[in-house]
Amino acid sequence: MSQNPQNIQSVLNETRSFVPSLKATSSVPDMATYEALCAEAVRDEQGFWARLGRENLDWHKPFTQTLDESNAPFYRWYGDGLLNASYNCLDRHVLAGRGDVTAIISESDSGVVTRVTYAELLARVCQMANVLKSLGVQKSDRVIIYMPMSIEGIVAMQACARIGATHSVVFGGFSAKAIHERVIDAGAVLIITADAQTRGGKQLGLKLVVDEALALGGCDTVRHVLVNQRTEQGCDMVVGRDLALEPLLAQQSTDCVPEWVDAEHPLFVLYTSGSTGTPKGVQHSTGGYLMWATQTMKWSFDITAQDVFWCTADIGWITGHTYVCYGPLSCGATQLVFEGIPTYPDASRFWQMIERHRCSIFYTAPTAIRSLIKAADMDEQVHPKKYDLSSLRILGTVGEPINPEAWMWYHKQVGGERCPIMDTFWQTETGGHVITPLPAATPLTPGSCTLPLPGIQAAIVDETGEDVENGQGGLLVIKRPWPSMIRTIWNNPERFKAGYYPEELGGRYYLAGDGAVRHSDTTYFQIMGRIDDVLNVSGHRLGTMEIESALVAHPMVAEAAVVGKPDEVSGEAICAFVVLKSAIPEGEAAVKLANELREWVKHEIGPIAKPKDIRFGDNLPKTRSGKIMRRLLRSIAKDEAITQDTSTLENPAILDQLRTSVV
Ligand code: WTA
């Protein structure tokens, strides 16, 4: 498990409790209501989910079946209902007379602010949908989106949803190889991209990465690349294949009848890292997913028409899907979208933007908070107390455990001790929040995501699937299906079944892949980190295998093993142990090679996968049967004394070498 055991102990001993003072406007006002909802979900599971399905969404044809378990774990929800996600996010608000409400306030890296209303956004989505149709994109086709955090990116996603095409967004920081893998696995017919994105004052080419990806070959399914022109930089265009987006949009009508799809129709496939080799395409449905995106906006964030909601996640991650593209729009809310980075022009950018746009709900990652704490400690001018943050009423965090000190700072310095913090635990696979406090109801403990949402039967079990007692660590599972859960892994149903519904647990519980423990008194959940070989670096999921494969693809590398080590800012940092084909270089030459390997990994996967530490060794610590002993590598990475039994080790001398060779 990736978290430091000492941290876990200190969090479990955490006795501070913050009783909510917020008055909920639209959601759950107190714990009694929360408990009544949980009881309803157990007493009448189908009735409960059917009610939420009807309350949260507009159906073109209402569903009559709620949950179909006949082919478990391939569950079906609202199976005979017909709907359209983009209709629910746009048309229904315009038809209800709310077309003039601001849907998105977008701020560019350089500070240019653009606003669109729901009526304008609907018109733009329709034009984009018509462009897609004019290029022959049909229902069920897959479309890759490689775009910056922008209105255009959201329009592209919504337009796919409107015509029933399944989108697969690739994070703008991922490499050509990552795009290539996803294009092939998804069998994409079209790629939507931009010439470049601007972040931190720098223009980073996107289209040229797509060109590189397609040049790797085998992407015959791709007919066109649509290019949104965002900068003066421009880009090369391949005649016949590449098309400038803006002139095509201008020719299209602002009306487009939505394609009504089954509730189970795949809205999107989002690739994420697992414990083995290639990233897996997590497939989500339309009905169940959108229901939960909408419901959790109400429950976890108490969203109202008066709020200005800001989720800082990129659309390339699940958080940007559920809490930027779909949840806020489905609720008819006003949200802020930001293309830049928190530290440009300086580390007060977030606080300035909250002040400027009177943001009331702010949702970000612990890693961002930790880096802004550091910056504020060093420079008073970027401290949140210098800014008027009085518009805030609710704060949120996501992606990794938040340490109690960072929680306290967020609470005091950003929230003015007034705003409850929603520590939302969830995953790409869960579609939306699963364990999280409710802003007006749940007493908060720093560092704990508290209790499951109503309907989520989260539990902690041992390796055989038996419940463990509170206070005992174990595997986090969800015992009953829920509407927004992963449906399958694209192209790989066996991997879905084996990975998430393993035989060892009787094949009946969803296995989250995290270790957790429940507090003996409060029964609150404490997440202890991944139990598999998945790292969490700045809230981003990366498989150790992916990074290892990238390293061994370098001509000088014979073998590599990657582990995580705790890091003050990024939560976890990547530490790579590398065996070279030739002799280990020394001094400057070693530093040079280490940097070359970092650049190599950046090129193979993306900058977020660059190893922080690299250690060269003549070999890796292995058992006599040749298995790499990763727990020893984890101790070395942390500079800890090795207390584990090393008697099964084939080559004990290697430990000393690896210990001293950090570059
Ligand atoms: C971790 C992000 C502790 C966890 C939405 C999970 C968290 C993985 C929290 C999923 C939290 C997410 N507290 N850990 N509040 N939220 N995690 O798929 O290890 O990018 O399994 O989804 O992030 O990462 P993913």
Side-chain angles (χ1 to χ4, degrees):
M1 298 190 190
S2 52
Q3 230 193 36
N4 184 335
Q6 260 168 3
N7 286 347
I8 290 164
Q9 213 42 54
S10 71
V11 175
L12 282 179
N13 292 339
E14 178 65 65
T15 51
R16 285 171 290 196
S17 177
F18 296 82
V19 179
S21 56
L22 181 108
K23 288 255 171 303
T25 32
S26 68
S27 87
V28 184
D30 50 34
M31 282 310 266
T33 313
Y34 164 73
E35 277 151 20
L37 283 164
C38 292
E40 180 195 344
V42 173
R43 190 179 61 241
D44 177 16
E45 189 186 43
Q46 300 257 349
F48 171 79
W49 290 120
R51 178 170 75 73
L52 299 192
R54 291 189 192 107
E55 283 176 7
N56 285 291
L57 301 177
D58 282 11
W59 295 86
H60 183 66
K61 174 175 166 273
F63 57 89
T64 62
Q65 300 154 3
T66 302
L67 167 64
D68 175 359
E69 308 189 56
S70 58
N71 190 25
F74 300 92
Y75 299 100
R76 292 171 57 82
W77 287 93
Y78 312 128
D80 61 344
L82 286 179
L83 79 167
N84 180 279
S86 134
Y87 177 90
N88 274 276
C89 291
L90 302 167
D91 307 56
R92 67 164 159 169
H93 309 309
V94 176
L95 291 171
R98 295 196 301 271
D100 290 338
V101 171
T102 303
I104 300 176
I105 307 167
S106 158
E107 187 165 316
S108 76
D109 191 63
S110 64
V112 177
V113 176
T114 318
R115 288 162 191 273
V116 287
T117 64
Y118 273 90
E120 288 161 351
L121 192 61
L122 172 59
R124 287 177 64 170
V125 167
C126 286
Q127 283 184 309
M128 184 71 189
N130 287 330
V131 168
L132 297 180
K133 286 210 281 196
S134 73
L135 296 173
V137 180
Q138 293 180 350
K139 180 178 170 192
S140 300
D141 282 347
R142 274 81 55 210
V143 173
I144 295 272
I145 298 176
Y146 188 64
M147 295 196 79
M149 192 52 198
S150 56
I151 295 178
E152 288 75 9
I154 296 169
V155 167
M157 294 164 79
Q158 287 281 344
C160 288
R162 193 159 193 92
I163 65 167
T166 299
H167 61 69
S168 188
V169 184
V170 180
F171 172 57
F174 274 136
S175 67
K177 235 179 125 196
I179 300 174
H180 181 250
E181 252 171 30
R182 288 156 175 76
V183 165
I184 291 186
D185 190 67
V189 299
L190 184 92
I191 301 177
I192 310 174
T193 188
D195 58 341
Q197 60 180 342
T198 314
R199 285 165 64 82
K202 290 191 208 107
Q203 290 193 352
L204 308 163
L206 288 175
K207 167 64 165 48
L208 56 92
V209 188
V210 172
D211 289 341
E212 199 188 323
L214 294 178
L216 292 171
C219 304
D220 310 333
T221 51
V222 177
R223 296 194 297 260
H224 292 291
V225 178
L226 272 176
V227 187
N228 162 219
Q229 202 71 39
R230 304 184 70 74
T231 70
E232 282 85 59
Q233 187 174 320
C235 58
D236 295 337
M237 299 289 269
V238 175
V239 179
R241 187 195 73 184
D242 302 347
L243 303 165
L245 179 57
E246 282 66 27
L248 294 179
L249 283 171
Q251 293 166 16
Q252 294 297 335
S253 150
T254 53
D255 286 320
C256 172
V257 178
E259 178 80 34
W260 305 111
V261 300
D262 295 345
E264 282 299 319
H265 183 72
L267 180 60
F268 64 86
V269 172
L270 182 61
Y271 287 82
T272 188
S273 297
S275 33
T276 49
T278 50
K280 46 194 177 185
V282 173
Q283 180 181 321
H284 277 288
S285 70
T286 303
Y289 169 80
L290 194 64
M291 182 286 288
W292 200 235
T294 316
Q295 182 63 70
T296 51
M297 283 297 297
K298 297 176 190 170
W299 277 346
S300 313
F301 294 129
D302 190 40
I303 191 80
T304 69
Q306 283 70 48
D307 283 304
V308 175
F309 177 78
W310 184 16
C311 166
T312 66
D314 191 281
I315 50 168
W317 309 110
I318 190 68
T319 310
H321 280 59
T322 310
Y323 299 106
V324 178
C325 183
Y326 290 109
L329 295 179
S330 178
C331 290
T334 299
Q335 69 171 321
L336 198 53
V337 165
F338 175 44
E339 185 171 350
I341 58 171
T343 48
Y344 179 81
D346 65 36
S348 67
R349 183 69 185 259
F350 277 1
W351 322 133
Q352 285 190 29
M353 284 180 60
I354 291 169
E355 178 179 296
R356 182 153 53 243
H357 302 292
R358 304 299 295 155
C359 169
S360 58
I361 306 172
F362 179 64
Y363 188 34
T364 195
T367 185
I369 298 165
R370 287 191 298 264
S371 70
L372 296 176
I373 294 176
K374 238 182 157 175
D377 283 349
M378 279 158 58
D379 177 4
E380 275 260 295
Q381 289 313 312
V382 301
H383 196 286
K385 70 182 176 207
K386 295 271 174 190
Y387 300 86
D388 176 7
L389 307 183
S390 60
S391 56
L392 288 172
R393 63 182 196 100
I394 295 170
L395 301 173
T397 75
V398 57
E400 48 176 324
I402 177 162
N403 43 314
E405 306 77 66
W407 194 100
M408 286 307 299
W409 188 89
Y410 197 31
H411 178 67
K412 279 197 184 141
Q413 310 296 347
V414 182
E417 298 186 53
R418 179 183 79 246
C419 308
I421 298 178
M422 303 301 101
D423 178 347
T424 62
F425 170 84
W426 60 298
Q427 308 174 297
T428 304
E429 295 86 342
T430 66
H433 303 156
V434 284
I435 308 180
T436 181
L438 299 171
T442 319
L444 305 171
T445 302
S448 170
C449 53
T450 75
L451 296 168
L453 284 171
I456 302 296
Q457 309 302 339
I460 300 175
V461 300
D462 65 18
E463 254 103 49
T464 64
E466 289 302 313
D467 285 327
V468 303
E469 280 175 30
N470 290 344
Q472 303 282 307
L475 308 171
L476 177 64
V477 297
I478 302 179
K479 290 186 167 177
R480 292 290 300 153
W482 67 103
S484 69
M485 64 186 296
I486 173 176
R487 290 304 189 264
T488 186
I489 291 175
W490 186 261
N491 271 340
N492 207 339
E494 296 77 28
R495 190 172 171 195
F496 163 74
K497 203 168 164 180
Y500 297 104
Y501 281 88
E503 281 305 319
E504 297 81 347
L505 304 182
R508 57 190 201 284
Y509 296 157
Y510 168 82
L511 178 68
D514 282 288
V517 55
R518 291 188 84 156
H519 196 283
S520 306
D521 302 330
T522 58
T523 74
Y524 280 6
F525 282 77
Q526 180 63 48
I527 306 298
M528 291 152 73
R530 302 287 308 189
I531 50 169
D532 49 15
D533 293 321
V534 170
L535 303 181
N536 191 328
V537 182
S538 301
H540 300 319
R541 258 168 88 166
L542 288 163
T544 50
M545 286 268 290
E546 280 170 73
I547 308 170
E548 288 164 7
S549 316
L551 283 166
V552 294
H554 187 279
M556 289 183 70
V557 176
E559 206 179 357
V562 167
V563 298
K565 71 168 194 177
D567 184 273
E568 242 182 60
V569 173
S570 60
E572 224 173 356
I574 300 167
C575 188
F577 295 84
V578 176
V579 180
L580 296 171
K581 288 179 184 159
S582 52
I584 301 174
E586 282 180 10
E588 277 299 301
V591 175
K592 196 162 160 261
L593 179 59
N595 285 337
E596 186 181 318
L597 292 178
R598 288 189 181 100
E599 285 305 308
W600 176 268
V601 174
K602 174 179 163 188
H603 184 256
E604 292 282 296
I605 304 173
I608 53 171
K610 267 164 76 166
K612 183 165 184 183
D613 290 354
I614 292 185
R615 292 168 192 255
F616 295 113
D618 295 321
N619 207 336
L620 296 172
K622 289 181 189 151
T623 60
R624 293 198 173 90
S625 60
K627 209 167 148 357
I628 297 172
M629 296 180 76
R630 284 171 192 277
R631 56 191 173 83
L632 292 180
L633 293 178
R634 279 189 207 108
S635 299
I636 295 174
K638 284 189 238 169
D639 284 325
E640 269 175 10
I642 291 179
T643 50
Q644 298 104 326
D645 178 15
T646 53
S647 59
T648 54
L649 202 60
E650 167 78 29
N651 45 357
I654 207 72
L655 297 181
D656 289 330
Q657 184 191 29
L658 290 173
R659 197 185 282 291
T660 53
S661 67
V662 62
V663 191

